[in-house]
Amino acid sequence: MLQRVWNAFRASRVGRSIFRVGLPASNLERAQVAISSFLLHLQPAKVHKRTLKPSTTFGLGLISLYLFLILGVTGVMLMFYYVPATDAAYQNMKDLEFVVTAGRVLRNMHRWSAHLMVVFVLLHLCRVFYTGAYKPPREFNWVVGVVLLLLTLGLSFTGYLLPWDQLAYWAITVGTNIAGYAPLVGQKLKFLLLGGHMVGESALIRFYTLHVIVLPGVVLMLVALHLWRVRKDGGLARPDEPAFVQQELAPGQLPTSKTYGLMELARGSTPAVGLAPEDVVFTWPNLIFRELLLFLAVVAVVLVLAIFWNAPLEELANRVHPPNPAKAPWYFLGLQELVAYSALWGGVVVPGLLVTALVLLPYLDRRRRGLGVWFARERKVALTLFTVCLIAAVVFTTIGSLFRGPNWSFQVPWKPIPAEEQAFH
Amino acid sequence: MNDSDPTQVKRRDFMQLAFGWCSALFALGASAVAGARYIVPNVLYEPDQRFKGQKPEDYPEGTTFLSDIRVFLIRKGNSFRAVSAICTHLGCTVNRGADGHGFHCPCHGSQFSDNGEVTSGPAPRPLSWLLVSLSRDGRLIIDASQPVEAKKYLVI
Amino acid sequence: MDTSLRRYYPWFAVLGLLVGGLVIVAYYKDQFREWRSWQQVFRKQELARANTPEARAEAARIPVEIHQLVLPGLNRVDRCITCHAAVDDPSYSGFPQPLAYHPNHDQHPFDKFGCTICHQGQGRATTREAAHGQVPHWDQPMLPMKYIESACGKCHLASDIPNAPKLARGRAVFEEVGCIGCHKLNGVGGMIGPELDKVGASHSPEWLMKHFKNPAAVSPGSGMPPIQASDADLDALTLYVLSFTGEEMSAYYVSMKSIPGQLAGRRLFQEKGCIGCHSIGGQGGKVGPALDGVGKRRSPDWIVAHFRNPQAVTPGSVMPQFNFTEQEIRSLTEFLLSVTDTNVVGFMKIPALMTSVARGKTVFQKYGCAGCHGAGGVGGIPNPNAKTAQQVPSLIHVAAGYTKDELKKRILDGQREIPSLDPAKPHPPLYMPAWRGRIAEGELADLVDYLMSLMPKADNLGF
């Protein structure tokens, strides 16, 4: 019955005008689904079989994208109740918690997805590095990815201020002060970002505007570019196929094997017919179904977190009494730890070098050896360098997050802070 | 189950797919409903429709305008009644006539009699008379959500 | 490689069910709200009490929803009445909470004042624990009833309200022990200790009590001397200090302070120096008529007219026209009406009529000298590591060591560096602030007269 209504609808003018291709029955239609659908055409009609193997990417980039979508939806929902003003923002948080139907769970989803997105974007970066996927021809897409990482941090950081509680206020105060250590532009940047010398009403509206329109808009466009480049750069990075040897032809002799340029499906030189075709499968349904599964899994994880753990909300922001210790958001705590030793190192040298190194990486390390292989032996030096940096970042971030108590003194996380030190704030 | 039996396999596949799709669509639908419910406000930051005023003796003889809910409270000795000051045309606030009689709307010129009936202008309906009652701690309650006939008074 | 999707079907089914299930769990967790059950209890109660069909119909119409009092002038939204549904219903007096009636709210109607401005707690919350403020990250749990009078002090002067004896006592203790000698309150006071403008908002009564008894125990490194007073007085002091919340309120609430009244009139009467020409109870000037019993002799209209233009009412009067505002005239009139024959004696302390020593004593209190030098200047307040026996010196014998001018100079200049007993130990925490520019010329003269008078008679005879 439903089937018949659906068929009638599909056959009608309206139905045909909306859906260009129905559920595909033939290979032609399977290709058309991917090519002619607006959302699906970011993917090729056919993908390499390696793409489907979970261990190729662990779906890290896709998970980041899903989290971004969840953040977009929940974020727009939160905007229905949120007013970016210092005397209203915190009260709105309380309303979401106490009176709005499903308000708390939505806020929790938004908060935990934001943290997860930072984690998964970083993991995605590690994956791309460890499989050498930034090597030619994917150098530029790596740079786009680095920019997306910075934008993700920016999105999370700007969102951090919006609840206007102690946690938010002082994390942004500390975080923007780290930015203030940058030479020449640091203080000016901080002034511009905050719209003043301290976090206040103008900082809130600036962060809000950045958070809800500027940064998401840029991210959305760059994500589209990022995905499109994945496709145009030849799909996911994979080891070079067995070399196709161009036959040396004597003058006047015709080639014995025919080559095709697979327009839009692969870049560069012409793959030989008969060498590779069995390695590709149709995107619909093979890839699409797996993507759907991953989406369900991400939603499930976010829901579990949001149902059973509440997003933090501390006291109303108080610009006089900081909590002790006042900490930046966790992903900046490595830097805060470094700033505690040396403002120059934590505020300038390390973040500057890190970003520069990441951007330049694909242009410095250009050999195609080890492309698409996890921990390729040929890349010992690069792997070691990256791993050392990674471990250092993890160690400093862990120390900053868990091992720093009042007055930034060293503190083991399993020992509670004495009550007297908490009493006065 | 026998993996080699093609009909069994087919049936199992179908069940699993059906389960998956049904619950995924259910989740989508439920989320949409929850989202719709989410945007319905549970508390309002506007004066209560059921407005609690002062004690009856605090209101002077004649007409008092209660700006919080845009209502004229009319006292005549011991009897009270209330008429909404919201014009039935397009929601402007009507004024008491200059001579203390009738009401007129400044926006599009509707005129109402003392009893709230339309005497001229585009207003489609008479002004609404509202239920006036007494709270248990002795204050007047004007309920803007409960219209009554014009002749209904609260007599103290 | 197996590209068949079939092996993922079970996963799909499981994940689909999981997500669907989680949505249901989220919904139920969200729908279960404590306040609903209390509203049901209220509704049932109303239904049980309804004895006419109309009343039953009305009770059945009571919606189960969140009720709130929106109080923009107080920056508050109080949802307490969602569970405390009968606070304004006298027929619920004596009911167990949360349905009890709240008596005595005539002058502070709920729709203007709400609940938390007096009781504290978290007005926006809709669970018992969170609303009563017994949760982390909420600074103001509900105020114990024994401290409730502190709420009056947020708007009223302690002297203006007769129903808050503890608040008045607390204020008296605050002045007697001289807190503002070291602390600033609303811009007045010393700089040795921290400002007190908002301490009541962020400290619990227990903390304050401990702090008064042994400051260093709760504020490590504090040099504040323990306050010597009875437990009852410290309790009153705690209550008074709790009223320092620094809250900003809209004009509606602030104007309560300036509504014309006897007390405002009495202050004006002093400030404008009426007593220079008129007398009450035999004290005061003789230029104008005595004001004893003026409230009986004259009508309110006469007094008002007189203030507007004395000569119009009493031709030939030499009383100047003061150009009082209408509100000042109302206040003064109310005050004068209260001056009847019977209440003249001891009616007011009029500074102009006191001796300089007596005035000096009030100056000594006003500037909080007692905070360090002890009540009546007897000393005994510890100042660790000070050369002067580790105490703030007593002032009893200043007359023996200083001339009046020397003493004035000493007070005006202060002494920032107090000599240490043991140079290796930290400096003594208390020091003598410089009062130049902060104390009026006349006040200084009175204060010196008072200090000079402290010398015990017997000692005086020895010289």
Side-chain angles (χ1 to χ4, degrees), chain B residues 9 12-13 16-17 19-21 23-24 26-27 30-31 42-46 50 52 55 136-137 139 146, chain C residues 6 9-10 12-13 16-17 19-20 23-24 46 49 66 68 77 79 88-92 105-106 111 124:
Chain B
V9 170
R12 193 177 57 188
D13 284 356
Q16 286 167 347
L17 272 183
F19 256 118
W21 279 117
S23 26
F26 164 78
S31 310
N42 288 335
V43 292
L44 298 177
Y45 290 91
E46 59 185 35
R50 196 168 174 275
K52 194 164 176 180
K55 293 192 166 151
R136 287 194 184 143
D137 57 347
R139 287 165 64 185
Q146 290 204 50
Chain C
R6 282 192 39 239
Y9 288 176
F12 182 55
L17 283 175
V19 171
V23 170
I24 295 176
E46 286 287 288
R49 294 159 145 232
I66 293 175
Q68 63 179 12
V77 173
R79 303 192 169 120
D88 61 349
D89 189 338
S91 64
Y92 279 84
H105 60 267
D106 284 353
D111 40 2
R124 283 182 185 256

Side-chain angles (χ1 to χ4, degrees), chain C residues 174-186:
Chain C
F174 186 82
E175 282 168 8
E176 280 163 22
V177 300
C179 302
I180 59 166
C182 294
H183 296 280
K184 257 197 169 63
L185 177 64
N186 299 332

Side-chain angles (χ1 to χ4, degrees), chain A residues 399-411:
Chain A
I399 294 178
S401 323
L402 302 177
F403 291 84
R404 289 299 178 183
N407 307 321
W408 210 249
S409 61
F410 196 83
Q411 175 106 38

Side-chain angles (χ1 to χ4, degrees), chain A residues 16-347:
Chain A
R16 271 180 293 148
S17 74
I18 299 173
F19 301 99
R20 293 149 65 101
V21 185
L23 277 176
S26 66
N27 278 353
L28 173 67
E29 283 174 1
R30 282 190 192 101
Q32 280 180 335
V33 168
I35 293 168
S36 62
S37 153
F38 171 70
L39 283 175
L40 300 181
H41 95 284
L42 281 169
Q43 318 190 41
K46 280 186 157 190
V47 289
H48 198 278
K49 276 184 179 172
R50 279 185 95 250
T51 306
L52 304 181
K53 221 168 92 183
S55 65
T56 311
T57 64
F58 295 110
L60 296 169
L62 202 56
I63 292 174
S64 309
L65 175 64
Y66 288 153
L67 289 168
F68 180 69
L69 294 179
I70 294 173
L71 282 163
V73 173
T74 52
V76 169
M77 297 293 278
L78 292 175
M79 284 172 73
F80 277 98
Y81 285 101
Y82 182 77
V83 179
T86 51
D87 54 355
Y90 183 74
Q91 320 296 351
N92 295 152
M93 294 299 118
K94 291 286 181 189
D95 278 9
L96 282 172
E97 179 178 354
F98 289 117
V99 299
V100 177
T101 305
R104 179 190 281 201
V105 81
L106 267 175
R107 187 169 102 83
N108 293 348
M109 283 176 79
H110 195 74
R111 183 66 161 236
W112 300 139
S113 304
H115 285 317
L116 284 180
M117 185 171 164
V118 174
V119 172
F120 275 96
V121 169
L122 287 169
L123 287 176
H124 177 52
L125 176 129
C126 294
R127 191 283 293 174
V128 173
F129 182 86
Y130 281 124
T131 56
Y134 55 84
K135 288 165 183 276
R138 299 181 178 80
E139 308 100 306
F140 181 67
N141 215 14
W142 165 271
V143 176
V144 173
V146 172
V147 176
L148 278 170
L149 165 68
L150 297 179
L151 288 170
T152 304
L153 292 178
L155 266 170
S156 182
F157 186 64
T158 49
Y160 218 87
L161 180 65
L162 305 187
W164 203 254
D165 62 342
Q166 280 287 75
L167 187 68
Y169 187 90
W170 290 99
I172 300 311
T173 302
V174 172
T176 47
N177 273 316
I178 295 177
Y181 282 112
L184 300 173
V185 293
Q187 285 301 324
K188 292 203 175 76
L189 187 72
K190 186 189 148 194
F191 182 74
L192 213 59
L193 196 61
L194 294 184
H197 296 287
M198 54 185 290
V199 180
E201 186 77 60
S202 52
L204 182 57
I205 191 69
R206 274 160 200 245
F207 273 53
Y208 178 74
T209 310
L210 287 172
H211 186 73
V212 303
I213 181 76
V214 179
L215 295 178
V218 179
V219 167
L220 204 60
M221 284 189 282
L222 284 187
V223 163
L225 175 64
H226 201 58
L227 290 173
W228 187 77
R229 281 301 293 247
V230 171
R231 185 185 157 187
K232 293 295 170 186
D233 288 342
L236 295 179
R238 57 178 183 273
D240 288 336
E241 263 130 27
F244 170 71
V245 186
Q246 198 86 35
Q247 289 171 339
E248 292 291 330
L249 297 178
Q253 188 188 354
L254 287 170
T256 53
S257 73
K258 216 172 164 190
T259 59
Y260 297 89
L262 283 184
M263 243 68 81
E264 305 264 341
L265 293 181
R267 190 169 180 262
S269 57
T270 53
V273 172
L275 255 180
E278 72 273 22
D279 281 344
V280 293
V281 292
F282 276 106
T283 300
W284 180 282
N286 296 299
L287 183 59
I288 303 289
F289 191 76
R290 284 170 170 84
E291 288 175 347
L292 175 70
L293 277 187
L294 191 60
F295 179 70
L296 285 177
V298 171
V299 171
V301 169
V302 170
L303 271 176
V304 167
L305 289 174
I307 290 170
F308 296 106
W309 284 274
N310 284 329
L313 185 67
E314 297 192 347
E315 292 90 346
L316 177 65
N318 179 338
R319 64 178 185 84
V320 184
H321 295 299
N324 190 2
K327 291 187 176 187
W330 63 267
Y331 37 83
F332 288 148
L333 281 182
L335 291 182
Q336 192 180 348
E337 177 67 19
L338 282 176
V339 172
Y341 304 127
S342 149
L344 183 74
W345 279 93

Side-chain angles (χ1 to χ4, degrees), chain C residues 3 22 38 56 59 61 97 154 205 225 233 272 290 292 300 320 353 423:
Chain C
T3 57
L22 284 170
W38 287 117
R56 257 194 296 281
R61 268 206 309 273
Q97 289 290 13
K154 290 180 183 177
D233 276 357
K272 300 286 177 186
D292 306 48
L353 303 173

